[in-house]
Amino acid sequence: MNMTQDFYNKLATHYHKLFLDWESTTQKQAGILNKIFVDRGYDCSARILDCACGIGTQAIGLAALGYQVTASDISQQEIEQAKIRAKENNVQIDFVQANFCTLSQSFSQQFDIVIAMDNALPHMLSSADLEIAVKSIVHQVKNGGLFVASIRDYDSILKDKPSSSPPYIQKTDQGQRVSFQTWEWKGENYKLIQYIIDDEAHLELNKFECEYRATTRDELTRLLLSAGCSEVAWEFPQTTGFYQPIVIATK
């Protein structure tokens, strides 16, 4: 089991705590993605693969809008959480445990749209690994189809290489929850520690570790074009309302 898989297996039952209201977030993000799809000629008949689905934050919202959604993730524990949440939201999604570096081993079919949101691609810790992932993902996109992903704004982050993220403080019925990250840099890679502190009836501290590589927009654009995409565009939070830059690649 690699570090990324272990990170998400341990985080699975706590992931929703990173949001003030996870249910509302799924609806808001589905609306943002739906606009991207509709603006490019798609409707709810499109078949979507969410190849880094986590606990279903995007997949469930899109399925609720009527899209045909298949969802995969490297973490079995996150898949299990996503299944529970899909059932609670009365949506039908086909879930598969799969590594997005080797999607053809799990899927024989191609999809109209493939998505990988929430900074999934920068878990690839070298340019060579990222190239493998991009080729694997683009292969599952139909000709003329879309690949949509979001990553942190590393073009800005690399200028200062911050050592932590600002704390995110949420008031709860029994107290408050504080979450923040520390970042330990080694070149363009960094070790991330995610802290989640529940200061409610009883104090609970949880700590989760993984590693990322700061991926620039130019690098990802180049790899997408090399993998067979004909056009690559970027949209930013001030336009989309999403919290990270979004890349939209047409195959």
Side-chain angles (χ1 to χ4, degrees):
M1 183 182 297
N2 64 32
M3 177 183 287
T4 302
Q5 191 173 16
D6 184 57
F7 172 72
Y8 286 110
N9 278 343
K10 291 177 178 177
L11 183 60
T13 57
H14 299 273
Y15 191 89
H16 68 283
K17 297 177 181 179
L18 299 175
F19 304 89
L20 179 61
D21 185 334
W22 182 85
E23 294 282 351
S24 294
T25 299
T26 66
Q27 296 169 19
K28 178 182 177 181
Q29 293 192 6
I32 292 169
L33 289 170
N34 180 62
K35 184 177 187 306
I36 290 172
F37 304 157
V38 170
D39 286 350
R40 287 155 181 80
Y42 287 93
D43 58 27
C44 292
S45 65
R47 295 194 62 207
I48 296 175
L49 170 64
D50 182 348
C51 70
C53 72
I55 64 170
T57 306
Q58 291 82 33
I60 290 171
L62 289 170
L65 291 179
Y67 284 96
Q68 303 174 61
V69 181
T70 300
S72 63
D73 198 273
I74 195 172
S75 165
Q76 183 61 44
Q77 294 304 314
E78 291 217 314
I79 289 289
E80 294 304 320
Q81 286 296 310
K83 288 179 178 178
I84 293 169
R85 292 173 181 274
K87 184 176 181 181
E88 290 174 347
N89 284 271
N90 298 310
V91 295
Q92 178 61 46
I93 298 173
D94 293 326
F95 289 103
V96 180
Q97 183 183 12
N99 186 331
F100 61 46
C101 291
T102 55
L103 288 175
S104 63
Q105 294 181 11
S106 300
F107 302 103
S108 58
Q109 74 273 40
Q110 293 180 311
F111 298 84
D112 299 302
I113 303 168
V114 179
I115 66 172
M117 307 300 288
D118 296 330
N119 208 49
L121 288 173
H123 280 297
M124 301 296 97
L125 301 182
S126 70
S127 184
D129 289 342
L130 180 61
E131 182 177 11
I132 290 169
V134 168
K135 286 181 176 178
S136 167
I137 292 168
V138 172
H139 177 74
Q140 299 307 133
V141 181
K142 291 181 178 179
N143 288 334
L146 299 178
F147 171 50
V148 179
S150 75
I151 64 171
R152 292 182 187 272
D153 185 3
Y154 288 114
D155 291 58
S156 296
I157 290 171
L158 281 168
K159 295 175 183 177
D160 300 317
K161 292 186 176 179
S163 59
S164 63
S165 67
Y168 180 45
I169 302 171
Q170 307 172 48
K171 296 298 182 181
T172 69
D173 292 340
Q174 298 182 25
Q176 64 182 0
R177 179 178 299 128
V178 181
S179 58
F180 64 94
Q181 300 171 354
T182 61
W183 298 2
E184 181 180 336
W185 290 89
K186 291 184 179 179
E188 60 189 7
N189 290 33
Y190 63 99
K191 176 183 176 181
L192 177 147
I193 302 179
Q194 173 72 63
Y195 292 91
I196 301 176
I197 303 168
D198 287 299
D199 188 5
E200 299 179 309
H202 302 283
L203 182 64
E204 179 184 344
L205 169 63
N206 289 282
K207 172 183 173 183
F208 311 93
E209 300 183 18
C210 68
E211 191 171 353
Y212 287 92
R213 174 175 168 268
T215 303
T216 65
R217 291 190 286 275
D218 280 348
E219 178 185 17
L220 185 51
T221 297
R222 176 179 54 80
L223 290 175
L224 286 164
L225 292 171
S226 178
C229 294
S230 60
E231 181 181 349
V232 179
W234 287 87
E235 294 193 1
F236 298 92
Q238 58 267 34
T239 301
T240 63
F242 196 77
Y243 73 105
Q244 292 177 340
I246 295 175
V247 62
I248 303 156
T250 304
K251 184 174 178 181

